[in-house]
Amino acid sequence: GESVGLHLPTLSVQEGDNSIINCAYSNSASDYFIWYKQESGKGPQFIIDIRSNMDKRQGQRVTVLLNKTVKHLSLQIAATQPGDSAVYFCAGRDSGNTGKLIFGQGTTLQVKP
Amino acid sequence: NAGVTQTPKFRVLKTGQSMTLLCAQDMNHEYMYWYRQDPGMGLRLIHYSVGEGTTAKGEVPDGYNVSRLKKQNFLLGLESAAPSQTSVYFCASSGYDYNEQFFGPGTRLTVL
């Protein structure tokens, strides 16, 4: 079956450093990927998305890289801040016209002051 | 716009009791979803709907029922609650032509 997984359950970084959160997926038919941020006690919040016809997409302080050859995507956060501390989920769109997303298990980002 | 709202925010049930969780969205989205989130398990899809009057099973549908009588509302029902259904439940919605899902704040359910 399809799966999306994150490489590390927890990532600890120093404030001001760059963070890289990795994710692997198994379904080569997935054509859309999305990263969510979830703070404690809240619902997931959209960060950035990327379609499979792109290799890179940039937002404000965040960059998503997609490597379709090895079925891997990453989220890079520049100049990590304490407010970035949260759980980060990657998700890939299921094949078919239902909008369903397959979520990974999440990586907890801890930012040390 | 309120986005996606969920009612209630917290609930404690005894085994065998029933309840309904309400999700409402004001973005005129076609698709709506119910997920459960358990520690270390990420988000798992329970049921979803691709339009008013339609529902479909997701990854973990057993023990739950849903209804989408109005486009803006998606109800999740537990007919006979079990301790294994203790979880945080999230509702989400998305438009037809794009795939970003907007999430509600969640409902924390405890079944004793």
Side-chain angles (χ1 to χ4, degrees), chain B residues 23-92:
Chain B
C23 176
Q25 52 95 2
D26 61 2
M27 296 172 281
N28 200 35
H29 283 167
E30 290 293 332
Y31 300 161
M32 296 187 74
Y33 315 84
W34 274 107
Y35 295 90
R36 61 177 288 171
Q37 186 175 39
D38 303 296
M41 299 292 289
L43 288 156
R44 293 186 292 170
L45 184 65
I46 305 170
H47 286 281
Y48 64 100
S49 168
V50 298
E52 180 179 321
T54 73
T55 64
K57 294 180 179 180
E59 182 184 357
V60 288
D62 295 340
Y64 305 94
N65 57 76
V66 287
S67 64
R68 184 99 180 268
L69 298 180
K70 294 182 179 180
K71 185 177 183 179
Q72 63 268 34
N73 295 337
F74 196 28
L75 306 179
L76 178 70
L78 287 73
E79 291 186 348
S80 181
S84 61
Q85 294 177 305
T86 293
S87 188
V88 181
Y89 292 86
F90 287 101
C91 176

Side-chain angles (χ1 to χ4, degrees), chain A residues 32 36 38 46 89 93 99, chain B residues 31 33 37 90 99-101:
Chain A
Y32 172 83
Y36 282 96
Q38 186 177 24
F46 170 85
F89 292 95
R93 186 173 79 153
Chain B
Y31 300 161
Y33 315 84
Q37 186 175 39
F90 287 101
N99 302 110
E100 177 190 347
Q101 291 184 15

Side-chain angles (χ1 to χ4, degrees), chain A residues 21 32-39 44-50 57-64 74-77 83-84 86-90 107 109, chain B residues 100-103:
Chain A
I21 302 172
Y32 172 83
F33 301 90
I34 189 167
W35 282 97
Y36 282 96
K37 172 186 180 184
Q38 186 177 24
E39 296 174 293
Q45 183 180 16
F46 170 85
I47 302 174
I48 191 168
D49 58 2
I50 187 168
R57 191 168 188 213
Q58 286 185 294
Q60 187 177 16
R61 284 201 306 118
V62 294
T63 300
V64 56
S74 65
L75 176 70
Q76 300 179 3
I77 304 174
D84 295 326
V87 179
Y88 290 82
F89 292 95
C90 63
T107 289
L109 177 63
Chain B
E100 177 190 347
Q101 291 184 15
F102 294 82
F103 282 83

Side-chain angles (χ1 to χ4, degrees), chain A residues 59-75:
Chain A
Q60 187 177 16
R61 284 201 306 118
V62 294
T63 300
V64 56
L65 299 177
L66 177 62
N67 185 331
K68 295 179 287 295
T69 302
V70 295
K71 299 179 188 174
H72 177 273
L73 70 159
S74 65
L75 176 70

